[in-house]
Amino acid sequence: MPFAETSLREQYAAAVERVAGRTLDALRGGGDPAALVEPDAAVPRPLLAAVRLLGADLLAPSLFGGGEPDPATAALLAEARRVVPAPAPPSEQAALVIAWQDWAAGRLLVRAGHAEAVPRPAPLPGPEDLGWQAWSVRMSQLSVLALPTLDGPVHDAALAHALALARGTVRSMLRRDLTTAARLARWLAWTEAEGGRSRLDLEPVLDRIALAGDGSARTGLELAVARRLLDRARPSDAEGGRAA
C-alpha cells in the first residue's frame, strides 16, 4: 500500500538522519554514537539499517580522537551488519561500491575484535577506464573510506588522481549537486591530510556547500569529516578550534 510504503521510507530516512546527527555530535566532542540506544535494549530495525548505511563513518569520532574504534559503537555496527543484509546492487559497478563500503567497515571492526579478516574487493576501475566524470561519481559513493587509518587501492587512486577529484567537485558544484560535491571535497581533504595536493582551495568549497546544501545531518557529517581532515593537513589552522 502506498501510504504504508511512504511511512516506512520516512522512518528509515529519519533513522539515517538521527544516526548521522548523533555521529556528528560525537565528532564534535559529544560522546559516542552508541548512546543512540539504551544498554541491553532491542535496537529498532530502522535504526540498525541506518547504522549499516553509515558504516565506517560511525567510527569516525574515535578515529579522529587518535584511538581505536569505540567498543560500544563497534558492537552496534557489528550487530547492524549481522541483522541487516547489504542492499541488492543494481549493477556490477554498484556491487563493487558496496563491497568497498563493507570492506571499510569490516576492517575497522576487525581491529575492534568484532569481525573476521575482510577480503579486499576487486580494484575499482580508474578514470582512465571510466572517464573522470564517472570515476568521480564512484569515488563520491566511497567517501566513507576517506578516514584516518584506512588505506588501500581506493586511497592510492585518490592520491594519484586528485585532479580528477577536483574536476568532479567543480562539476558537481556547477550542477548544484552539492551532496556529491561534499563527498568529493572530503576525498580532496583526505589527500591533503596524506600530504598530497587537493588542486582546490577547499575552505570556500566547504563553506558554500554548508550554506547552500540540503542542511541534512548526513551532509553535515561529510563536511565535518572533511574539515577534520584539513585540520590534520594544516595543524596551524586548527588553533582556536575551527567550527565543523
Side-chain angles (χ1 to χ4, degrees), residues 53-233:
L53 182 65
L54 267 290
D57 266 349
L58 205 71
L59 301 170
S62 53
L63 297 182
F64 279 106
E68 290 300 310
D70 171 65
T73 305
L76 179 61
L77 178 56
E79 181 183 359
R81 286 166 57 82
R82 282 194 302 269
V83 173
V84 182
S91 67
E92 184 176 338
Q93 285 297 305
L96 193 55
V97 166
I98 292 170
W100 276 108
Q101 291 169 340
D102 280 347
W103 172 85
R107 187 168 175 184
L108 294 176
L109 287 176
V110 168
R111 283 164 45 185
H114 283 285
E116 301 293 331
V118 180
R120 182 178 288 179
L124 189 74
E128 63 277 5
D129 300 311
L130 297 177
W132 66 265
Q133 296 98 327
W135 179 78
S136 64
V137 170
R138 291 296 182 214
M139 288 297 287
S140 77
Q141 295 166 342
L142 291 172
S143 65
V144 71
L145 274 69
L147 284 171
T149 76
L150 281 177
D151 62 86
V154 176
H155 302 80
D156 295 340
L159 283 170
H161 301 292
L163 180 57
L165 291 172
R167 286 174 172 169
T169 304
V170 172
R171 178 174 182 265
S172 299
M173 296 286 286
L174 292 173
R175 292 163 61 91
R176 298 183 181 179
D177 182 0
L178 299 184
T179 299
T180 297
R183 294 171 179 173
L184 291 174
R186 172 174 166 174
W187 269 119
L188 289 172
W190 180 89
T191 65
E192 287 201 15
E194 293 297 310
R197 291 178 55 204
S198 69
R199 307 298 186 110
L200 281 180
D201 185 356
L202 290 176
E203 292 287 359
V205 172
L206 298 176
D207 289 344
R208 176 60 181 169
I209 295 170
L211 181 65
D214 60 13
S216 68
R218 196 171 180 197
T219 298
L221 181 59
E222 299 279 0
L223 296 175
V225 169
R227 292 190 188 278
R228 291 295 294 271
L229 288 166
L230 285 181
D231 285 344
R232 287 176 164 245

